[in-house]
Amino acid sequence: MTLTNTKKFLAVSLALVFAMGMNNLAYAETVLLDDDFDLENGGIGILNYNGFTNWSVSDGTVDLIGNGFFDFLPGNGLYVDLDGSTNNSGIMTSDILELEACEYELQFDLAGNHRNSNTESVDVSVGALFSEQFSLNQNDPFTTYTRQISVDSNTSESIVFSGAGGDNIGLLLDNVKFTQLDCSAPVAGELLSINSSALVIGGLASSAVWMIPSVAGIAGAGIYLVKLRANRD
Ligand SMILES: [Ca+2]
Ligand SMILES: [Ca+2]
Ligand SMILES: [Ca+2]
Ligand SMILES: [Ca+2]
């Protein structure tokens, strides 16, 4: 086999490997919920709002504020005051999320009430998978919290923000995001479970060179065949 043919053979092998890897794209990171509240109610703040696209409010009320309306932290579009205007803070429950066994990431921004000196708190939970209380002081700015959540078997859960208090002045919530992380295991060398999704995410898939170390199995098989044929020539 000539050097040119060898290169062609390797190129075909790598293309095949890449095509197989594409089947695993379903395992790439998937954003299940990403909510900045900015488009709620036509982009206009309103007290005691319960028309959220992705959430329902129970056991009290929350206010949709910002964007010039009771805008205590300008520049964040609309956001939520977890203690509405009925002296009974609300519980925000997301639409149900279908979860398969994988790692997930919950992220959200919380800020202090920015009105009085009370420390405010909220219980954040995802079914029995996750539960944590967060407390912030009056002038705490929007702070991003990130938590990883493990799911062992298929389940359906909602994200719940349960505000505490009943003085109409509560924590501020914005930018809730729930992401399924890449749940495929690294399996370099296994012919039928090659994982190229990480490469695609990293923008490196266009470079076939990157495939070689992660697919040593089939590439190695290709090289072996090339050598076998070269020896016969
Ligand atoms: Ca916002
Ligand atoms: Ca309020
Ligand atoms: Ca309540
Ligand atoms: Ca309060």
Side-chain angles (χ1 to χ4, degrees):
M1 182 180 276
T2 66
L3 183 61
T4 305
N5 281 342
T6 304
K7 280 182 176 173
K8 277 182 185 170
F9 188 88
L10 274 176
V12 169
S13 296
L14 288 172
L16 176 66
V17 165
F18 181 72
M20 292 168 68
M22 292 294 282
N23 290 331
N24 282 344
L25 275 179
Y27 293 109
E29 279 193 11
T30 305
V31 176
L32 300 180
L33 176 74
D34 190 2
D35 199 341
D36 62 11
F37 305 111
D38 291 355
L39 298 179
E40 294 290 348
N41 195 43
I44 299 167
I46 182 172
L47 301 180
N48 304 322
Y49 182 60
N50 195 4
F52 290 98
T53 304
N54 300 313
W55 307 83
S56 59
V57 183
S58 60
D59 190 35
T61 56
V62 304
D63 295 324
L64 179 68
I65 61 173
N67 215 7
F69 180 75
F70 295 106
D71 199 353
F72 307 115
L73 290 169
N76 294 290
L78 291 172
Y79 43 94
V80 175
D81 174 2
L82 289 168
D83 194 343
S85 300
T86 57
N87 293 308
N88 183 0
S89 58
I91 297 174
M92 289 187 69
T93 303
S94 76
D95 292 345
I96 289 174
L97 302 163
E98 301 293 340
L99 309 179
E100 58 181 326
C102 189
E103 293 294 310
Y104 293 81
E105 186 180 88
L106 171 64
Q107 195 171 76
F108 50 90
D109 296 351
L110 290 173
N113 71 37
H114 286 262
R115 281 155 288 177
N116 66 25
S117 60
N118 291 350
T119 297
E120 309 286 354
S121 63
V122 59
D123 290 316
V124 183
S125 62
V126 181
L129 301 169
F130 171 80
S131 178
E132 186 173 347
Q133 185 175 74
F134 297 83
S135 296
L136 284 82
N137 296 318
Q138 175 180 357
N139 293 319
D140 289 341
F142 268 125
T143 304
T144 301
Y145 296 90
T146 305
R147 295 291 185 269
Q148 198 153 327
I149 296 171
S150 296
V151 175
D152 293 331
S153 57
N154 292 3
T155 184
S156 305
E157 300 290 357
S158 292
I159 305 165
V160 176
F161 289 88
S162 181
D167 63 356
N168 296 343
I169 295 174
L171 279 181
L172 306 178
L173 171 70
D174 202 2
N175 299 322
V176 183
K177 191 171 179 180
F178 196 75
T179 306
Q180 182 185 53
L181 303 179
D182 186 343
C183 35
S184 55
V187 285
E190 283 185 41
L191 291 183
L192 295 178
S193 32
I194 291 159
N195 171 25
S196 68
S197 55
L199 301 173
V200 174
I201 290 167
L204 298 169
S206 58
S207 170
V209 172
W210 276 90
M211 301 300 296
I212 293 172
S214 68
V215 295
I218 194 164
I223 290 166
Y224 176 74
L225 277 173
V226 169
K227 286 194 71 175
L228 197 66
R229 294 188 59 171
N231 288 341
R232 285 178 179 169
D233 286 348

